[in-house]
C-alpha cells in the first residue's frame, strides 16, 4: 500500500510539473509556412536577405519559405499582384519589403484585414500594421559612410551623390545622411545628386554622364553597393581611378572590390542578418513569444582594415543570437 501511495504522489507531482516546464522552454518548431518578399531578383543584397531568411527558417524548424520578387526590378504592379496572391494562399506569416513604401499600403491593409501577421523588414512601409520592423539606421549609415569618404579626400574637392529610388525611405535617409556629412566639410562641393534606382547599369550610365560634365570628381557617395560598383566601372573606363567611391550594404562583390582597392568602403547594412532576424521575429510571434515592435541592427563602416567578418561565403555565415539584437 505504501509503495502504491508513493507511486500516486510521484504521478501527481509529474502532472503538476509538466506544464510548468513546458512554459519555461522555448516554443517548439511547428512547420510554419512563411512568404518572403524582396524588391527584385538582381541586387545581390536581396540574395543575402533571402539567404538569411532561409537559414533561420531551417534553424528554427519552420516549413519551406515561398519567395516573391518582381521579375521586372522594383515593379509596383507586379508586387501588388504577388501580395494579392499571397493573401489568397494565406501563409502563417509574411516577411515584407516594399518596392514603393506608399503604393503598397492599400494591399497591406487587405493583408491586415485577412489576419495574416506581417514583419516589415529592410526598409519601412508607410502604412499598415506590422508585428515588427527589422532594419538599420539608414541616416546614420549615410552620415558615417559619407564622413569616411570626405575625410579620405582631405575634406576638400568635388563629390557626387548617386541616389536610389526617389521617394524610397532607404534612399532618402541615406542621402540625407550624406548631405549632413557634407555640412561638416565646407570645402567640399556637391557637384550633383542623381538617382539610379539602386541598380548597377543605371548607375554606370549616370556616372558616364557626370564624368562628361565634370572634369574632376574626387568622391562618389552611392546609396547602395550595386550603384557604387556601376560607378566604378564608368570611372575606370574613363581613366578616373583616383576618384574615391563608397557604397552601402556590404554585399560580397563590394567586399572583394574593397580588398582589390577599387572601392574605398561600404556602410554595413547586412542583408543576411536582416533576413535572419526578421524570420526569427515572425516565428517567435507565431509561437506566442515576445517580439519588439522594432529591431534596429547596428552597422559600421567596412574598409580594408576590418572586412574579415564579411569576407565569408553566404553558405558559411551564421545568424546572430536573438539576445544580441532584440533589445
Amino acid at each position: 500500500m505504501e509503495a502504491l501511495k508513493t507511486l500516486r504522489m510521484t504521478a501527481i507531482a509529474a502532472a503538476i510539473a509538466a506544464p510548468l516546464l513546458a512554459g519555461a522552454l522555448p516554443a517548439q518548431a511547428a512547420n510554419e509556412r512563411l512568404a518572403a518578399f524582396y524588391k527584385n531578383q538582381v541586387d545581390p543584397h536581396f540574395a543575402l536577405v533571402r539567404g538569411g531568411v532561409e537559414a533561420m527558417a531551417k534553424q528554427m524548424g519552420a516549413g519551406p519559405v515561398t519567395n516573391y520578387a518582381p521579375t521586372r526590378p522594383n515593379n509596383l504592379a507586379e508586387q501588388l499582384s504577388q501580395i494579392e496572391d499571397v493573401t489568397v494562399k494565406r501563409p502563417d506569416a509574411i516577411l515584407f519589403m516594399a518596392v514603393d513604401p506608399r503604393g503598397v499600403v492599400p494591399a497591406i491593409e487587405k493583408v491586415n484585414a485577412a489576419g495574416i501577421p506581417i514583419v516589415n523588414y529592410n526598409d519601412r512601409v508607410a502604412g499598415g500594421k506590422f508585428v515588427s520592423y527589422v532594419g538599420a539606421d539608414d541616416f546614420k549609415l549615410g552620415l558615417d559612410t559619407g564622413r569616411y569618404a570626405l575625410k579620405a579626400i582631405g575634406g576638400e574637392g568635388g563629390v557626387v551623390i548617386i541616389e536610389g529610388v526617389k521617394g524610397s525611405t532607404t534612399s532618402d535617409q541615406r542621402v540625407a545622411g550624406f548631405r549632413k556629412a557634407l555640412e561638416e566639410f565646407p570645402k567640399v562641393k556637391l557637384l550633383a545628386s542623381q538617382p539610379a534606382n539602386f541598380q548597377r547599369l543605371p548607375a554606370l550610365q549616370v556616372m558616364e554622364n557626370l564624368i562628361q560634365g565634370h572634369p574632376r570628381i574626387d568622391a562618389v557617395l552611392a546609396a547602395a553597393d550595386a550603384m557604387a560598383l556601376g560607378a566604378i566601372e564608368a570611372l575606370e573606363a574613363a581613366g578616373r581611378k583616383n576618384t574615391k567611391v563608397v557604397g552601402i550594404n556590404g554585399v560580397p562583390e563590394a567586399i572583394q572590390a574593397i580588398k582589390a582597392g577599387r572601392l574605398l568602403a561600404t556602410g554595413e547594412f547586412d542583408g543576411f542578418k536582416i533576413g535572419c532576424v526578421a524570420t526569427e521575429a515572425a516565428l517567435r510571434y507565431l509561437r506566442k513569444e515576445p517580439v519588439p515592435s522594432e529591431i534596429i541592427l547596428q552597422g559600421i563602416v567596412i574598409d580594408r582594415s576590418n572586412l574579415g567578418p564579411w569576407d565569408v561565403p553566404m553558405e558559411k555565415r551564421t545568424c546572430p543570437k536573438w539576445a544580441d539584437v532584440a533589445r
Side-chain angles (χ1 to χ4, degrees), residues 80 83-88 90 94 103-118 127-130:
L80 291 175
I83 296 170
E84 185 175 346
D85 179 61
V86 169
T87 306
V88 172
R90 297 190 63 84
I94 294 172
V104 300
V105 172
I108 293 300
E109 289 174 343
K110 290 181 181 179
V111 177
N112 293 152
I116 306 170
I118 316 174
K129 297 179 181 178
F130 300 94

Side-chain angles (χ1 to χ4, degrees), residues 9-319:
M9 292 299 292
T10 301
I12 291 170
I16 294 171
L20 295 176
L21 288 171
L25 294 172
Q28 299 301 305
N31 204 40
E32 299 94 341
R33 296 176 302 116
L34 301 179
F37 282 77
Y38 314 93
K39 293 183 181 183
N40 61 60
Q41 301 177 17
V42 296
D43 191 324
H45 170 72
F46 300 125
L48 285 173
V49 177
R50 177 171 175 169
V53 167
E54 294 181 341
M56 183 54 75
K58 181 179 180 180
Q59 181 177 317
M60 294 186 69
V65 180
T66 304
N67 297 293
Y68 293 86
T71 55
R72 291 169 291 172
N74 307 330
N75 184 271
L76 175 59
E78 193 172 352
Q79 186 171 71
L80 291 175
S81 176
Q82 291 173 338
I83 296 170
E84 185 175 346
D85 179 61
V86 169
T87 306
V88 172
K89 291 180 178 176
R90 297 190 63 84
D92 294 303
I94 294 172
L95 309 174
F96 188 78
M97 64 175 75
V99 301
D100 181 330
R102 296 171 183 81
V104 300
V105 172
I108 293 300
E109 289 174 343
K110 290 181 181 179
V111 177
N112 293 152
I116 306 170
I118 316 174
V119 171
N120 176 203
Y121 67 158
N122 201 80
D123 48 2
R124 296 181 189 272
V125 178
K129 297 179 181 178
F130 300 94
V131 169
S132 183
Y133 169 72
V134 179
D137 187 336
D138 286 295
F139 176 83
K140 187 174 187 302
L141 282 174
L143 178 60
D144 291 346
T145 309
R147 280 174 176 161
Y148 186 96
L150 301 181
K151 288 178 182 178
I153 62 172
E156 57 183 281
V159 306
V160 300
I161 293 174
I162 302 183
E163 307 169 16
V165 176
K166 283 283 191 182
S168 157
T169 306
T170 300
S171 178
D172 290 351
Q173 287 296 306
R174 291 178 182 181
V175 171
F178 288 155
R179 289 180 175 273
K180 182 64 176 177
L182 283 165
E183 292 177 10
E184 301 174 4
F185 294 85
K187 293 184 180 180
V188 176
K189 181 181 180 181
L190 178 61
L191 303 174
S193 184
Q194 295 185 17
N197 299 331
F198 288 121
Q199 296 178 54
R200 187 169 184 153
L201 179 57
L204 185 153
Q205 295 167 338
V206 165
M207 197 69 231
E208 286 176 337
N209 292 333
L210 291 171
I211 289 170
Q212 294 298 318
H214 301 282
R216 176 173 173 175
I217 299 173
D218 295 288
V220 176
L221 313 180
D225 287 341
M227 298 188 296
L229 294 167
I232 288 171
E233 288 184 43
L235 288 163
E236 290 177 343
R240 304 253 194 121
K241 295 185 179 182
N242 292 328
T243 300
K244 308 294 186 184
V245 182
V246 294
I248 295 177
N249 282 343
V251 302
E253 190 175 354
I255 299 302
Q256 296 310 309
I258 292 172
K259 288 176 68 175
R262 298 173 66 227
L263 180 67
L264 178 65
T266 183
E268 180 199 3
F269 188 77
D270 194 321
F272 186 83
K273 287 182 182 178
I274 290 170
C276 288
V277 176
T279 304
E280 183 161 3
L283 293 173
R284 282 178 170 268
Y285 178 81
L286 292 173
R287 298 172 190 184
K288 311 300 182 186
E289 298 177 29
V291 175
S293 61
E294 181 178 89
I295 302 172
I296 302 300
L297 304 179
Q298 301 302 310
I300 66 169
V301 176
I302 304 168
D303 63 12
R304 294 183 76 174
S305 71
N306 64 358
L307 57 72
W310 295 272
D311 190 19
V312 178
M314 184 169 65
E315 60 273 13
K316 293 186 178 180
R317 297 190 182 193
T318 57
C319 290

